[in-house]
Amino acid sequence: MKIKAALILCALLAVTGLVLALLSPGPAPGPPLENEPGAETAPSPERTEETTIRNLTRSRLSYRLTPSRGKEPPAGESVIAPRAVHRHRTKVALEIRFFNGLEEQTFTLDPGSAYTFRYDEDGRPQIFLGSHGRTDAADLAPFVPTPQVVVDRMLELVEVTASDVVYDLGCGDGRIVITAAQRYGARGVGIDIDRDLIRRAQADALERGVTPLVRFLVRDVLKADFSPATVVTLYLLPESNELLRPRLEKQLAAGARVVCHNYTVPGWEGSETRSVVLEDDAGGEHKIFVYER
Ligand SMILES: C[S@@+](CC[C@H](N)C(=O)[O-])C[C@H]1O[C@@H](n2cnc3c(N)ncnc32)[C@H](O)[C@@H]1O
């Protein structure tokens, strides 16, 4: 008798569950990750035993590689041109030696990792481990979010309105595009090479109710189309802004505004329409530069 009652209860629960599942709207869909039909798609992450070295400085640099252990022959002296990428097939860590203009530098490079020559704080060439770990795209800056007070000021300075289309190139967690949508009703596109950050941006956009206005794309900004932008926001390293400059000049329509956090666009010296310095809540100093095309 007890068994019969239990069976009836199970059947009732199963039917109720089925009915609820059919009636439930399911999780609200966020915008897709890559969503422009026919647009350039991000290259798929590679898995290789290559160690890549990319030169984002303005100079030709020479370096010497030697295996830090093992029996592979040394790769010898190499010269890397600005913007070039060298790929070294190796299963072992390599020691790199180069002259930074003052003294010889030595670092160990792990197999399968992406490294970049960029400038250090003193303006000398230095080698950095790529923050996004991809060997197929330039590492334009590590993820360091712009403090909200700075985001707010950047958008105020370029007088964003609901008729603007704001592109953040290297958008991180999407806070600039999301703020522009929330505060001003502007449409926006955030582009980043890091898929996890793009997912975070999408989740945040959903939470703040701005998904109809914003899109987030996993792309290399050096290959992306951002020509619909009326406002571009940048928080990338100076040499990265320099790499982007020809694309900005080619793609942006007259009247588009470009607003940069902390670093100017080399080659556009003297053409800022505004520049301000402000403090964040922790007392850190930030600079903002505004340009108009
Ligand atoms: C300094 S963070 C700025 C984040 C955001 N724009 C902000 O201001 O809060 C730079 C971002 O650029 C991204 N990035 C680096 N290289 C990139 C590339 N080649 N293409 C797209 N994004 C890139 C990084 O993943 C990182 O999220």
Side-chain angles (χ1 to χ4, degrees), residues 10 18 41 43 47 49 51 57 68 80 85 94 100 116 119 133-134 188 222 230 247:
C10 284
L18 187 67
T41 51
R47 273 266 143 251
E49 279 170 337
T51 296
T57 75
S68 60
I80 185 164
V85 183
L94 296 172
N100 75 352
T116 306
Y119 295 108
R134 289 173 62 145
L222 292 175
T230 59
R247 297 185 70 83

Side-chain angles (χ1 to χ4, degrees), residues 35-76:
N35 45 7
E36 284 172 74
E40 300 162 77
T41 51
S44 54
E46 299 170 357
R47 273 266 143 251
T48 68
E49 279 170 337
E50 279 179 344
T51 296
T52 62
I53 301 174
R54 197 176 285 268
N55 184 2
L56 292 189
T57 75
R58 268 167 251 113
S59 321
R60 287 167 70 79
L61 299 170
S62 349
Y63 64 86
R64 179 171 285 277
L65 289 177
T66 48
S68 60
R69 59 184 174 79
K71 289 190 180 144
E72 289 187 21

Side-chain angles (χ1 to χ4, degrees), residues 131-132 137-147 151 154 168-176 191-194 197 219-222 233-236 261:
S131 59
H132 55 61
D139 174 29
L140 301 177
F143 173 53
V144 180
T146 298
V151 171
M154 286 167 81
D168 186 15
L169 305 182
C171 67
D173 62 7
R175 58 183 59 199
I176 297 183
I191 299 177
D192 205 287
I193 196 79
D194 186 324
L197 286 171
R219 300 271 158 82
D220 178 356
V221 297
L222 292 175
T233 61
L234 295 175
Y235 184 21
L236 299 173
H261 176 193

